Amino acid sequence: MKKVVLAYSGGLDTSVCVRWLTDKGYTVIAVIADIGQKVDFAKLRERAISAGAKEIYVADLKKRFVEEFILPTLKAEGVYQGYYLATALSRPLIAQKVVEIAYREKAEYLAHGCTGKGNDQVRFELSWKLLSPQLKVIAPVREWEFKSRDEEMEYAREKGLDLNLERLTYSIDENLWGVSIECGELEDAGKKPPADAWQITHLESRRDPVRLKIEFDQGIPVALDEKRMEAGEIIVRLNEIGKEYAIGRKDLIEDRVVGIKSRELYEAPSAEILYIAHHSLETLVFDKDTLDFKHLVSLKYGELVYKGLWFSPLRGFLDRFVEATQKKVSGEVEIELHPQVCQVIGRKSRYSLYDRDLATYGQGSKFESRWAEGFIKILSMGLRKID
Ligand code: ARG
């Protein structure tokens, strides 16, 4: 019997994939990744079984997600067209887990339930090609005969699958780094998103501001309001607080890898707060050239993650550069949250390059104003003829 390991999310597509692959003569092993999405894993397990999966793995990948994927990206400040990459970052991790299980189960096939129009197929398959090129890939959604969700539902009914799926208005992808929302009414890019499109954040304009203190050690968040916590706990906590202020809400048009522009909503309170805090610390401790160069690195890093190139050599090289810069990204940042605003109100570091005695406009500055005269003269020399 041919064995296939499928990245199973529990939605309609992957559930129909299980049945479709079984009908084609495969033994299906479903892998469910727990990366902090709020779902009932017992229910997903049952759904996979009812669809025909022979074996189900529920893998708790939260710690690995934080340590091996989120933190390196936060240190790099990787971002793609304003998007903090929650979905994009989870794919290489799930791909890696699927390969691990394929080895354990001695399967020769890997499968995902992504469509031919999206980025996720690229992320899974590039990861698989780089990790384990000898395993063969099946992408049922790209191949099968169903042309719409309704046709998939019809097939599921015919086959007697008890999917018990709520009729969903949007396509939602969630993990602990953020939520991505698309489809339905959101496809009209000219129209304001309906209020029910936002899944975790609330917007209440009359909320009192709240102050938070975040401590970083070498680029990693290590304490919140002076309490030491694991980075994963800080992320969960900041999501809880930030969602009440609708922090990290974005309504973006993005360029997909496959050349399509799409409209997507994002909610990522924790990512927004941590990126802002992390960056403010970098502005304090980096010299200007490092700061400018690191900006280029964030753009490239974000692009690699978005395009599914997590396991590429360049991402590894960039990590080494970023790691070297983070030695000094230690200190404390104070933040004030207002509805939809995350404001830095103070920052401190023992590596600070900010020198009050130089910067002050008050008495006793170390900076001698007369130095400026010669400096400006020299600067102007290449621009005009000297008399
Ligand atoms: N556009 C995002 C990305 O490519 C999210 C894709 C999944 N979105 C969704 N609503 N299911 O990473």
Side-chain angles (χ1 to χ4, degrees):
M1 206 54 167
K2 298 175 290 184
K3 261 192 192 176
V4 58
V5 183
L6 168 74
Y8 181 77
S9 71
L12 177 67
D13 287 338
T14 49
S15 300
V16 172
C17 277
V18 173
R19 187 54 200 239
W20 188 86
L21 287 163
T22 313
D23 282 355
K24 293 258 181 285
Y26 292 92
T27 299
V28 180
I29 297 154
V31 177
I32 303 172
D34 174 0
I35 39 177
Q37 69 276 44
K38 302 215 167 52
V39 294
D40 178 348
F41 289 99
K43 207 159 124 189
L44 293 197
R45 183 186 275 278
E46 261 167 44
R47 199 177 281 165
I49 294 175
S50 111
K54 280 282 153 321
E55 185 102 50
I56 289 109
Y57 285 84
V58 178
D60 181 352
L61 302 177
K62 293 193 286 288
K63 199 170 157 60
R64 210 153 126 189
F65 190 36
V66 172
E67 287 171 8
E68 295 171 33
F69 292 81
I70 293 175
L71 292 179
T73 307
L74 171 65
K75 289 191 240 179
E77 295 181 5
V79 64
Y80 181 80
Q81 299 185 330
Y83 160 44
Y84 294 125
L85 304 161
T87 302
L89 276 173
S90 71
R91 296 321 189 224
L93 170 60
I94 300 169
Q96 198 176 44
K97 190 71 199 174
V98 166
V99 169
E100 277 170 35
I101 292 171
Y103 282 132
R104 190 180 315 163
E105 294 280 348
K106 299 195 174 40
E108 333 161 38
Y109 295 89
L110 310 170
H112 61 71
C114 314
T115 79
K117 279 186 153 183
N119 296 319
D120 288 333
Q121 54 173 349
V122 181
R123 296 171 184 148
F124 276 116
E125 291 181 44
L126 274 179
S127 299
W128 286 337
K129 288 238 176 330
L130 291 166
L131 290 174
S132 193
Q134 75 286 3
L135 296 173
K136 295 186 240 353
V137 175
I138 316 174
V141 182
R142 277 199 314 240
E143 287 176 30
W144 67 29
E145 53 283 19
F146 318 119
K147 284 184 210 66
S148 64
R149 273 181 86 81
D150 287 336
E151 286 186 25
E152 286 177 50
M153 293 273 213
E154 183 56 38
Y155 170 83
R157 253 193 305 274
E158 254 169 44
K159 297 286 176 179
L161 304 195
D162 177 20
L163 295 182
N164 199 9
L165 286 166
E166 339 46 90
R167 189 104 189 96
L168 294 174
T169 328
Y170 308 103
S171 162
I172 297 161
D173 184 75
E174 183 187 11
N175 63 50
L176 56 93
W177 200 227
V179 186
S180 313
I181 311 133
E182 60 182 351
C183 299
E185 277 189 58
L186 302 175
E187 286 179 0
D188 183 346
K191 258 179 63 192
K192 182 177 176 182
D196 74 344
W198 303 106
Q199 304 298 309
I200 57 167
T201 55
H202 310 287
L203 185 55
E204 257 184 58
S205 43
R206 277 173 303 149
R207 197 171 274 286
D208 291 335
V210 64
R211 283 191 183 178
L212 302 168
K213 210 182 271 174
I214 303 165
E215 188 187 332
F216 288 86
D217 182 26
Q218 304 196 23
I220 294 175
V222 292
L224 180 60
D225 290 334
E226 267 140 40
K227 261 199 242 84
R228 289 193 81 79
M229 289 179 207
E230 299 254 321
E233 257 183 278
I234 295 180
I235 291 170
V236 170
R237 245 344 258 135
L238 289 179
N239 275 335
E240 289 301 314
I241 304 167
K243 73 184 177 102
E244 299 306 324
Y245 291 83
I247 302 295
R249 267 193 186 187
K250 298 206 180 178
D251 177 346
L252 303 179
I253 297 290
E254 76 192 41
D255 289 286
R256 284 192 197 157
V257 184
V258 291
I260 302 170
K261 277 197 188 288
S262 63
R263 194 257 195 114
E264 184 121 13
L265 303 187
Y266 293 105
E267 297 175 282
S270 194
E272 171 98 347
I273 297 169
L274 288 172
Y275 267 64
I276 288 176
H278 184 270
H279 190 66
S280 88
L281 207 50
E282 288 197 343
T283 61
L284 189 68
V285 301
F286 285 173
D287 60 279
K288 179 174 153 45
D289 281 332
T290 305
L291 205 52
D292 290 350
F293 190 74
K294 181 127 184 307
H295 183 61
L296 303 178
V297 172
S298 338
L299 291 180
K300 193 67 198 174
Y301 202 98
E303 188 187 322
L304 293 177
V305 174
Y306 188 81
K307 287 186 171 169
L309 289 165
W310 181 265
F311 296 110
S312 66
L314 181 57
R315 214 266 315 158
F317 299 143
L318 293 182
D319 259 350
R320 307 251 285 276
F321 166 77
V322 169
E323 212 38 57
T325 64
Q326 296 301 290
K327 302 270 180 299
K328 293 193 171 164
V329 187
S330 300
E332 239 175 49
V333 181
E334 201 167 0
I335 293 279
E336 198 168 85
L337 301 185
H338 298 261
Q340 284 197 300
V341 177
C342 171
Q343 181 77 53
V344 174
I345 56 168
R347 66 298 269 158
K348 278 187 215 153
S349 167
R350 62 182 180 283
Y351 301 111
S352 173
L353 295 179
Y354 173 82
D355 184 341
R356 187 173 180 174
D357 292 339
L358 272 180
T360 183
Y361 284 111
Q363 296 255 306
S365 175
K366 290 194 290 196
F367 188 92
E368 296 262 1
S369 294
R370 25 185 200 94
W371 299 342
E373 195 187 331
F375 172 72
I376 296 164
K377 207 173 208 167
I378 291 168
L379 275 185
S380 74
M381 261 160 40
L383 306 172
R384 64 177 182 102
K385 241 176 106 197
I386 302 276
D387 328 300

Coordinates of all heavy atoms in Angstrom, one line a residue, residues 278-321:
H278 N 11.3 46.2 19.9 CA 12.6 45.7 19.5 C 13.3 46.8 18.6 O 14.5 47.1 18.8 CB 12.4 44.4 18.7 CG 13.7 43.8 18.3 ND1 14.4 44.0 17.1 CD2 14.5 42.8 18.9 CE1 15.5 43.3 17.0 NE2 15.6 42.6 18.1
H279 N 12.6 47.4 17.7 CA 13.2 48.3 16.8 C 13.7 49.6 17.6 O 14.7 50.2 17.3 CB 12.3 48.7 15.7 CG 13.0 49.5 14.6 ND1 14.1 49.0 13.9 CD2 12.9 50.8 14.3 CE1 14.5 50.0 13.1 NE2 13.9 51.1 13.3
S280 N 12.9 50.0 18.6 CA 13.2 51.2 19.3 C 14.5 51.0 20.1 O 15.4 51.9 20.2 CB 12.1 51.7 20.2 OG 12.2 51.1 21.4
L281 N 14.7 49.7 20.5 CA 16.0 49.4 21.2 C 17.2 49.4 20.2 O 18.2 49.9 20.5 CB 15.9 48.0 21.9 CG 16.7 47.7 23.1 CD1 16.6 48.8 24.1 CD2 16.3 46.4 23.7
E282 N 16.9 48.9 19.0 CA 18.0 49.0 18.0 C 18.4 50.4 17.7 O 19.6 50.7 17.5 CB 17.6 48.2 16.7 CG 17.5 46.7 17.0 CD 17.5 45.9 15.7 OE1 17.2 46.5 14.6 OE2 17.8 44.7 15.7
T283 N 17.4 51.3 17.6 CA 17.8 52.7 17.3 C 18.6 53.3 18.4 O 19.4 54.2 18.1 CB 16.5 53.6 17.1 OG1 15.8 53.6 18.3 CG2 15.6 53.1 16.0
L284 N 18.5 52.8 19.6 CA 19.3 53.3 20.7 C 20.7 52.7 20.7 O 21.7 53.4 21.1 CB 18.6 52.9 22.0 CG 19.1 53.5 23.3 CD1 18.8 55.0 23.3 CD2 18.4 52.8 24.5
V285 N 20.9 51.5 20.3 CA 22.2 50.8 20.5 C 23.0 50.7 19.2 O 24.2 50.4 19.3 CB 22.1 49.5 21.2 CG1 21.4 49.6 22.6 CG2 21.3 48.5 20.4
F286 N 22.4 50.8 18.1 CA 23.2 50.6 16.8 C 23.7 52.0 16.3 O 23.0 53.0 16.4 CB 22.3 50.0 15.7 CG 21.9 48.6 15.8 CD1 21.0 48.0 14.9 CD2 22.5 47.8 16.8 CE1 20.7 46.7 15.0 CE2 22.2 46.4 16.9 CZ 21.3 45.9 16.0
D287 N 24.9 51.9 15.7 CA 25.3 53.1 14.9 C 24.5 53.2 13.7 O 23.8 52.2 13.3 CB 26.8 52.9 14.6 CG 27.0 51.7 13.7 OD1 27.0 50.5 14.3 OD2 27.0 51.8 12.5
K288 N 24.5 54.3 13.0 CA 23.6 54.6 11.9 C 23.8 53.6 10.7 O 22.9 53.1 10.1 CB 23.8 56.0 11.4 CG 22.9 56.3 10.2 CD 22.9 57.8 9.9 CE 22.6 58.0 8.4 NZ 21.5 57.3 7.8
D289 N 25.1 53.3 10.4 CA 25.3 52.3 9.3 C 24.7 51.0 9.6 O 24.1 50.3 8.7 CB 26.8 52.2 9.0 CG 27.3 53.4 8.2 OD1 26.6 54.0 7.5 OD2 28.5 53.7 8.4
T290 N 24.9 50.5 10.8 CA 24.3 49.2 11.1 C 22.8 49.2 11.0 O 22.2 48.3 10.5 CB 24.8 48.7 12.5 OG1 26.2 48.8 12.6 CG2 24.3 47.3 12.9
L291 N 22.3 50.3 11.5 CA 20.8 50.4 11.5 C 20.3 50.4 10.1 O 19.3 49.7 9.7 CB 20.5 51.8 12.2 CG 19.1 52.0 12.8 CD1 18.8 50.9 13.8 CD2 19.1 53.3 13.6
D292 N 21.0 51.2 9.2 CA 20.5 51.3 7.8 C 20.7 49.9 7.1 O 19.8 49.5 6.3 CB 21.3 52.3 7.0 CG 21.0 53.7 7.5 OD1 20.0 53.9 8.2 OD2 21.7 54.7 7.1
F293 N 21.8 49.3 7.4 CA 22.0 48.0 6.7 C 21.1 46.9 7.2 O 20.6 46.1 6.4 CB 23.5 47.6 6.9 CG 23.8 46.4 6.0 CD1 24.1 46.6 4.7 CD2 23.9 45.1 6.5 CE1 24.4 45.5 3.8 CE2 24.2 44.0 5.7 CZ 24.4 44.3 4.3
K294 N 20.8 47.0 8.4 CA 19.9 46.0 9.0 C 18.5 46.1 8.4 O 17.7 45.2 8.2 CB 19.8 46.1 10.5 CG 18.9 45.1 11.1 CD 19.6 44.3 12.2 CE 18.6 43.2 12.7 NZ 17.3 43.7 13.1
H295 N 18.1 47.4 8.0 CA 16.8 47.6 7.4 C 16.8 46.8 6.1 O 15.7 46.2 5.7 CB 16.7 49.1 7.1 CG 15.3 49.4 6.5 ND1 14.2 49.2 7.2 CD2 15.0 50.0 5.4 CE1 13.2 49.5 6.4 NE2 13.6 50.0 5.3
L296 N 17.9 46.8 5.3 CA 17.9 46.0 4.1 C 17.7 44.5 4.4 O 17.0 43.8 3.6 CB 19.2 46.2 3.3 CG 19.6 47.7 3.0 CD1 20.9 47.8 2.3 CD2 18.5 48.3 2.0
V297 N 18.4 44.1 5.4 CA 18.3 42.7 5.8 C 16.9 42.3 6.2 O 16.4 41.3 5.8 CB 19.3 42.4 7.0 CG1 19.1 41.0 7.5 CG2 20.7 42.6 6.5
S298 N 16.2 43.2 6.9 CA 14.8 42.9 7.3 C 13.9 42.7 6.0 O 13.1 41.8 6.0 CB 14.0 44.0 8.1 OG 14.8 44.8 8.7
L299 N 14.1 43.5 5.0 CA 13.3 43.4 3.8 C 13.6 42.1 3.1 O 12.7 41.3 2.7 CB 13.6 44.5 2.8 CG 13.2 45.9 3.3 CD1 13.5 47.0 2.2 CD2 11.6 45.9 3.5
K300 N 14.9 41.7 3.0 CA 15.3 40.5 2.3 C 14.8 39.3 3.1 O 14.3 38.3 2.6 CB 16.8 40.5 2.1 CG 17.3 39.4 1.2 CD 16.8 39.7 -0.2 CE 16.9 38.5 -1.2 NZ 16.3 38.8 -2.5
Y301 N 15.0 39.4 4.4 CA 14.6 38.3 5.3 C 13.1 38.0 5.2 O 12.6 36.9 5.0 CB 14.9 38.6 6.7 CG 15.1 37.4 7.7 CD1 16.3 36.9 8.0 CD2 13.9 36.8 8.3 CE1 16.4 35.8 8.9 CE2 14.1 35.8 9.1 CZ 15.3 35.3 9.4 OH 15.4 34.2 10.3
G302 N 12.3 39.1 5.2 CA 10.9 39.0 5.1 C 10.5 38.4 3.7 O 9.6 37.5 3.6
E303 N 11.2 38.8 2.7 CA 10.9 38.3 1.4 C 11.2 36.8 1.3 O 10.4 36.0 0.7 CB 11.7 39.0 0.3 CG 11.3 38.8 -1.1 CD 12.3 39.4 -2.1 OE1 12.7 40.6 -1.8 OE2 12.6 38.8 -3.1
L304 N 12.3 36.4 1.9 CA 12.6 34.9 1.8 C 11.6 34.1 2.6 O 11.1 33.1 2.1 CB 14.0 34.7 2.5 CG 15.2 35.3 1.7 CD1 16.5 35.0 2.5 CD2 15.4 34.6 0.3
V305 N 11.2 34.6 3.7 CA 10.2 33.9 4.5 C 8.9 33.8 3.7 O 8.2 32.7 3.6 CB 9.9 34.5 5.9 CG1 8.8 33.9 6.6 CG2 11.2 34.5 6.7
Y306 N 8.5 34.9 3.2 CA 7.2 35.0 2.4 C 7.2 34.0 1.2 O 6.2 33.3 1.0 CB 6.9 36.4 1.9 CG 5.6 36.6 1.3 CD1 4.5 36.8 2.2 CD2 5.4 36.5 0.0 CE1 3.2 36.9 1.6 CE2 4.1 36.7 -0.6 CZ 3.0 36.9 0.2 OH 1.8 37.0 -0.3
K307 N 8.3 34.0 0.6 CA 8.4 33.2 -0.7 C 8.7 31.7 -0.4 O 8.9 30.9 -1.3 CB 9.6 33.7 -1.5 CG 9.3 35.0 -2.2 CD 10.4 35.3 -3.2 CE 10.1 36.5 -4.1 NZ 11.3 36.9 -4.8
G308 N 8.7 31.3 0.8 CA 8.9 29.9 1.1 C 10.3 29.4 1.2 O 10.6 28.2 1.1
L309 N 11.3 30.4 1.3 CA 12.7 30.0 1.3 C 13.3 30.0 2.6 O 14.5 30.3 2.8 CB 13.4 31.0 0.3 CG 13.1 30.8 -1.1 CD1 13.5 32.0 -2.0 CD2 13.7 29.5 -1.7
W310 N 12.6 29.5 3.6 CA 13.1 29.4 5.0 C 14.3 28.6 5.0 O 15.3 28.9 5.7 CB 12.0 28.8 5.9 CG 12.5 28.7 7.3 CD1 13.1 27.6 7.9 CD2 12.6 29.8 8.3 NE1 13.5 28.0 9.2 CE2 13.2 29.3 9.4 CE3 12.2 31.1 8.2 CZ2 13.3 30.0 10.6 CZ3 12.3 31.9 9.4 CH2 12.9 31.4 10.5
F311 N 14.4 27.5 4.3 CA 15.5 26.6 4.4 C 16.6 26.9 3.3 O 17.4 26.1 3.0 CB 15.0 25.1 4.2 CG 14.1 24.7 5.4 CD1 12.8 24.5 5.2 CD2 14.6 24.5 6.7 CE1 11.9 24.1 6.2 CE2 13.8 24.2 7.7 CZ 12.5 23.9 7.5
S312 N 16.6 28.1 2.8 CA 17.6 28.5 1.8 C 18.9 28.8 2.5 O 18.9 29.3 3.6 CB 17.1 29.7 1.0 OG 17.0 30.8 1.8
P313 N 20.0 28.7 1.7 CA 21.3 29.1 2.3 C 21.3 30.6 2.8 O 21.8 30.9 3.9 CB 22.3 28.9 1.2 CG 21.6 28.0 0.2 CD 20.1 28.2 0.4
L314 N 20.7 31.5 2.0 CA 20.8 32.9 2.3 C 20.1 33.2 3.6 O 20.6 34.0 4.4 CB 20.2 33.7 1.2 CG 20.2 35.2 1.5 CD1 21.6 35.8 1.7 CD2 19.6 36.0 0.3
R315 N 19.0 32.5 3.9 CA 18.3 32.8 5.2 C 19.3 32.4 6.3 O 19.4 33.1 7.3 CB 17.0 32.0 5.2 CG 15.9 32.8 6.0 CD 15.8 32.4 7.4 NE 15.9 30.9 7.6 CZ 16.3 30.3 8.7 NH1 16.5 31.0 9.8 NH2 16.3 29.0 8.8
G316 N 20.0 31.3 6.2 CA 20.9 30.9 7.2 C 22.1 31.9 7.3 O 22.4 32.3 8.5
F317 N 22.6 32.5 6.2 CA 23.6 33.5 6.3 C 23.1 34.7 7.0 O 23.8 35.3 7.8 CB 24.2 33.8 4.9 CG 24.8 32.6 4.2 CD1 24.6 32.5 2.8 CD2 25.5 31.6 4.8 CE1 25.1 31.4 2.1 CE2 26.0 30.6 4.2 CZ 25.8 30.5 2.8
L318 N 21.9 35.1 6.6 CA 21.4 36.4 7.2 C 21.2 36.2 8.7 O 21.4 37.1 9.5 CB 20.0 36.7 6.6 CG 20.1 37.2 5.1 CD1 18.7 37.5 4.6 CD2 21.0 38.3 4.9
D319 N 20.8 35.0 9.1 CA 20.7 34.7 10.6 C 22.0 34.9 11.3 O 22.0 35.4 12.4 CB 20.2 33.2 10.8 CG 18.8 33.1 11.1 OD1 18.1 34.2 11.3 OD2 18.3 32.0 11.1
R320 N 23.1 34.5 10.7 CA 24.4 34.7 11.3 C 24.7 36.2 11.5 O 25.2 36.6 12.5 CB 25.5 34.0 10.5 CG 25.1 32.5 10.2 CD 26.0 31.6 11.0 NE 27.3 31.6 10.5 CZ 27.7 30.8 9.4 NH1 26.8 30.0 8.9 NH2 28.9 30.8 9.0
F321 N 24.4 37.0 10.5 CA 24.6 38.4 10.6 C 23.7 39.0 11.7 O 24.2 39.7 12.5 CB 24.3 39.1 9.2 CG 24.2 40.6 9.3 CD1 25.3 41.4 9.4 CD2 22.9 41.2 9.4 CE1 25.2 42.8 9.5 CE2 22.8 42.5 9.5 CZ 23.9 43.3 9.6

